[in-house]
mmCIF file of all heavy atoms in Angstrom:
data_model
loop_
_atom_site.group_PDB
_atom_site.id
_atom_site.type_symbol
_atom_site.label_atom_id
_atom_site.label_comp_id
_atom_site.label_asym_id
_atom_site.label_seq_id
_atom_site.Cartn_x
_atom_site.Cartn_y
_atom_site.Cartn_z
ATOM 1 N N ILE A 137 -56.434 -17.577 -28.402
ATOM 2 C CA ILE A 137 -55.010 -17.942 -28.482
ATOM 3 C C ILE A 137 -54.224 -17.277 -27.358
ATOM 4 O O ILE A 137 -53.393 -17.909 -26.692
ATOM 5 C CB ILE A 137 -54.432 -17.551 -29.856
ATOM 6 C CG1 ILE A 137 -55.078 -18.405 -30.956
ATOM 7 C CG2 ILE A 137 -52.917 -17.720 -29.876
ATOM 8 C CD1 ILE A 137 -54.706 -17.985 -32.357
ATOM 9 N N ASP A 138 -54.492 -15.990 -27.123
ATOM 10 C CA ASP A 138 -53.776 -15.275 -26.060
ATOM 11 C C ASP A 138 -54.060 -15.894 -24.692
ATOM 12 O O ASP A 138 -53.152 -16.078 -23.878
ATOM 13 C CB ASP A 138 -54.178 -13.792 -26.052
ATOM 14 C CG ASP A 138 -53.661 -13.041 -27.263
ATOM 15 O OD1 ASP A 138 -52.728 -13.554 -27.906
ATOM 16 O OD2 ASP A 138 -54.177 -11.956 -27.561
ATOM 17 N N THR A 139 -55.338 -16.197 -24.439
ATOM 18 C CA THR A 139 -55.703 -16.796 -23.158
ATOM 19 C C THR A 139 -55.062 -18.168 -22.998
ATOM 20 O O THR A 139 -54.591 -18.528 -21.910
ATOM 21 C CB THR A 139 -57.231 -16.919 -23.047
ATOM 22 O OG1 THR A 139 -57.828 -15.629 -23.184
ATOM 23 C CG2 THR A 139 -57.627 -17.512 -21.704
ATOM 24 N N SER A 140 -55.027 -18.940 -24.082
ATOM 25 C CA SER A 140 -54.416 -20.272 -24.024
ATOM 26 C C SER A 140 -52.922 -20.172 -23.708
ATOM 27 O O SER A 140 -52.394 -20.948 -22.898
ATOM 28 C CB SER A 140 -54.623 -21.003 -25.356
ATOM 29 O OG SER A 140 -56.001 -21.145 -25.643
ATOM 30 N N GLU A 141 -52.247 -19.215 -24.332
ATOM 31 C CA GLU A 141 -50.820 -19.028 -24.063
ATOM 32 C C GLU A 141 -50.584 -18.667 -22.599
ATOM 33 O O GLU A 141 -49.654 -19.166 -21.967
ATOM 34 C CB GLU A 141 -50.260 -17.933 -24.971
ATOM 35 C CG GLU A 141 -50.154 -18.340 -26.430
ATOM 36 C CD GLU A 141 -49.642 -17.212 -27.313
ATOM 37 O OE1 GLU A 141 -49.615 -16.058 -26.819
ATOM 38 O OE2 GLU A 141 -49.269 -17.467 -28.459
ATOM 39 N N GLN A 142 -51.434 -17.800 -22.058
ATOM 40 C CA GLN A 142 -51.292 -17.392 -20.660
ATOM 41 C C GLN A 142 -51.473 -18.575 -19.720
ATOM 42 O O GLN A 142 -50.772 -18.698 -18.717
ATOM 43 C CB GLN A 142 -52.296 -16.290 -20.341
ATOM 44 C CG GLN A 142 -52.009 -14.967 -21.048
ATOM 45 C CD GLN A 142 -53.124 -13.964 -20.873
ATOM 46 O OE1 GLN A 142 -54.018 -14.145 -20.050
ATOM 47 N NE2 GLN A 142 -53.091 -12.899 -21.657
ATOM 48 N N ARG A 143 -52.415 -19.446 -20.039
ATOM 49 C CA ARG A 143 -52.654 -20.615 -19.183
ATOM 50 C C ARG A 143 -51.455 -21.554 -19.199
ATOM 51 O O ARG A 143 -51.081 -22.129 -18.168
ATOM 52 C CB ARG A 143 -53.920 -21.331 -19.626
ATOM 53 C CG ARG A 143 -55.180 -20.522 -19.353
ATOM 54 C CD ARG A 143 -56.404 -21.098 -20.018
ATOM 55 N NE ARG A 143 -56.795 -22.378 -19.461
ATOM 56 C CZ ARG A 143 -57.868 -23.054 -19.853
ATOM 57 N NH1 ARG A 143 -58.647 -22.569 -20.803
ATOM 58 N NH2 ARG A 143 -58.174 -24.204 -19.298
ATOM 59 N N ILE A 144 -50.841 -21.747 -20.366
ATOM 60 C CA ILE A 144 -49.665 -22.604 -20.460
ATOM 61 C C ILE A 144 -48.497 -21.974 -19.705
ATOM 62 O O ILE A 144 -47.774 -22.660 -18.964
ATOM 63 C CB ILE A 144 -49.286 -22.846 -21.930
ATOM 64 C CG1 ILE A 144 -50.419 -23.572 -22.668
ATOM 65 C CG2 ILE A 144 -47.981 -23.639 -22.011
ATOM 66 C CD1 ILE A 144 -50.736 -24.937 -22.128
ATOM 67 N N LEU A 145 -48.290 -20.671 -19.871
ATOM 68 C CA LEU A 145 -47.198 -19.989 -19.177
ATOM 69 C C LEU A 145 -47.380 -20.027 -17.671
ATOM 70 O O LEU A 145 -46.411 -20.126 -16.918
ATOM 71 C CB LEU A 145 -47.104 -18.541 -19.658
ATOM 72 C CG LEU A 145 -46.593 -18.334 -21.087
ATOM 73 C CD1 LEU A 145 -46.694 -16.869 -21.478
ATOM 74 C CD2 LEU A 145 -45.150 -18.815 -21.220
ATOM 75 N N LYS A 146 -48.632 -19.949 -17.224
ATOM 76 C CA LYS A 146 -48.905 -19.986 -15.790
ATOM 77 C C LYS A 146 -48.477 -21.324 -15.194
ATOM 78 O O LYS A 146 -47.945 -21.383 -14.076
ATOM 79 C CB LYS A 146 -50.392 -19.749 -15.530
ATOM 80 C CG LYS A 146 -50.754 -19.613 -14.069
ATOM 81 C CD LYS A 146 -52.224 -19.287 -13.888
ATOM 82 C CE LYS A 146 -52.576 -19.143 -12.413
ATOM 83 N NZ LYS A 146 -54.021 -18.832 -12.224
ATOM 84 N N VAL A 147 -48.705 -22.406 -15.938
ATOM 85 C CA VAL A 147 -48.271 -23.722 -15.472
ATOM 86 C C VAL A 147 -46.754 -23.765 -15.372
ATOM 87 O O VAL A 147 -46.179 -24.287 -14.406
ATOM 88 C CB VAL A 147 -48.771 -24.827 -16.424
ATOM 89 C CG1 VAL A 147 -48.169 -26.179 -16.040
ATOM 90 C CG2 VAL A 147 -50.292 -24.902 -16.386
ATOM 91 N N ASN A 148 -46.066 -23.182 -16.355
ATOM 92 C CA ASN A 148 -44.609 -23.199 -16.371
ATOM 93 C C ASN A 148 -44.024 -22.367 -15.239
ATOM 94 O O ASN A 148 -43.005 -22.715 -14.654
ATOM 95 C CB ASN A 148 -44.110 -22.672 -17.715
ATOM 96 C CG ASN A 148 -42.628 -22.892 -17.905
ATOM 97 O OD1 ASN A 148 -42.081 -23.897 -17.480
ATOM 98 N ND2 ASN A 148 -41.959 -21.944 -18.533
ATOM 99 N N GLU A 149 -44.669 -21.245 -14.920
ATOM 100 C CA GLU A 149 -44.161 -20.369 -13.870
ATOM 101 C C GLU A 149 -44.280 -20.997 -12.497
ATOM 102 O O GLU A 149 -43.533 -20.648 -11.582
ATOM 103 C CB GLU A 149 -44.929 -19.045 -13.883
ATOM 104 C CG GLU A 149 -44.597 -18.166 -15.075
ATOM 105 C CD GLU A 149 -45.501 -16.962 -15.160
ATOM 106 O OE1 GLU A 149 -46.390 -16.821 -14.291
ATOM 107 O OE2 GLU A 149 -45.337 -16.170 -16.093
ATOM 108 N N ARG A 150 -45.203 -21.925 -12.317
ATOM 109 C CA ARG A 150 -45.430 -22.530 -11.003
ATOM 110 C C ARG A 150 -44.162 -23.180 -10.465
ATOM 111 O O ARG A 150 -43.901 -23.154 -9.266
ATOM 112 C CB ARG A 150 -46.563 -23.566 -11.112
ATOM 113 C CG ARG A 150 -46.771 -24.422 -9.885
ATOM 114 C CD ARG A 150 -47.222 -23.609 -8.683
ATOM 115 N NE ARG A 150 -47.393 -24.475 -7.528
ATOM 116 C CZ ARG A 150 -46.432 -24.824 -6.699
ATOM 117 N NH1 ARG A 150 -45.204 -24.384 -6.888
ATOM 118 N NH2 ARG A 150 -46.674 -25.615 -5.661
ATOM 119 N N GLY A 151 -43.355 -23.751 -11.341
ATOM 120 C CA GLY A 151 -42.147 -24.422 -10.874
ATOM 121 C C GLY A 151 -40.957 -23.508 -10.732
ATOM 122 O O GLY A 151 -39.875 -23.954 -10.368
ATOM 123 N N ARG A 152 -41.129 -22.207 -10.994
ATOM 124 C CA ARG A 152 -40.010 -21.284 -10.916
ATOM 125 C C ARG A 152 -40.064 -20.377 -9.708
ATOM 126 O O ARG A 152 -39.376 -19.376 -9.655
ATOM 127 C CB ARG A 152 -39.973 -20.419 -12.180
ATOM 128 C CG ARG A 152 -39.721 -21.226 -13.435
ATOM 129 C CD ARG A 152 -39.576 -20.341 -14.639
ATOM 130 N NE ARG A 152 -39.306 -21.115 -15.830
ATOM 131 C CZ ARG A 152 -39.093 -20.577 -17.023
ATOM 132 N NH1 ARG A 152 -39.136 -19.275 -17.178
ATOM 133 N NH2 ARG A 152 -38.845 -21.339 -18.062
ATOM 134 N N LYS A 153 -40.917 -20.696 -8.763
ATOM 135 C CA LYS A 153 -41.002 -19.851 -7.584
ATOM 136 C C LYS A 153 -39.688 -19.950 -6.810
ATOM 137 O O LYS A 153 -39.059 -20.992 -6.720
ATOM 138 C CB LYS A 153 -42.166 -20.265 -6.695
ATOM 139 C CG LYS A 153 -41.986 -21.598 -5.968
ATOM 140 C CD LYS A 153 -43.171 -21.893 -5.117
ATOM 141 C CE LYS A 153 -42.948 -23.163 -4.291
ATOM 142 N NZ LYS A 153 -41.933 -22.986 -3.284
ATOM 143 N N SER A 154 -39.278 -18.862 -6.256
ATOM 144 C CA SER A 154 -38.049 -18.861 -5.488
ATOM 145 C C SER A 154 -38.297 -19.475 -4.117
ATOM 146 O O SER A 154 -39.359 -19.317 -3.532
ATOM 147 C CB SER A 154 -37.528 -17.429 -5.319
ATOM 148 O OG SER A 154 -38.498 -16.620 -4.675
#
Side-chain angles (χ1 to χ4, degrees):
I137 293 173
D138 291 342
T139 302
S140 300
E141 289 178 347
Q142 292 172 12
R143 291 169 67 178
I144 298 298
L145 289 174
K146 187 176 180 180
V147 173
N148 190 36
E149 289 172 0
R150 171 65 181 86
R152 296 185 179 182
K153 71 179 185 68
S154 58

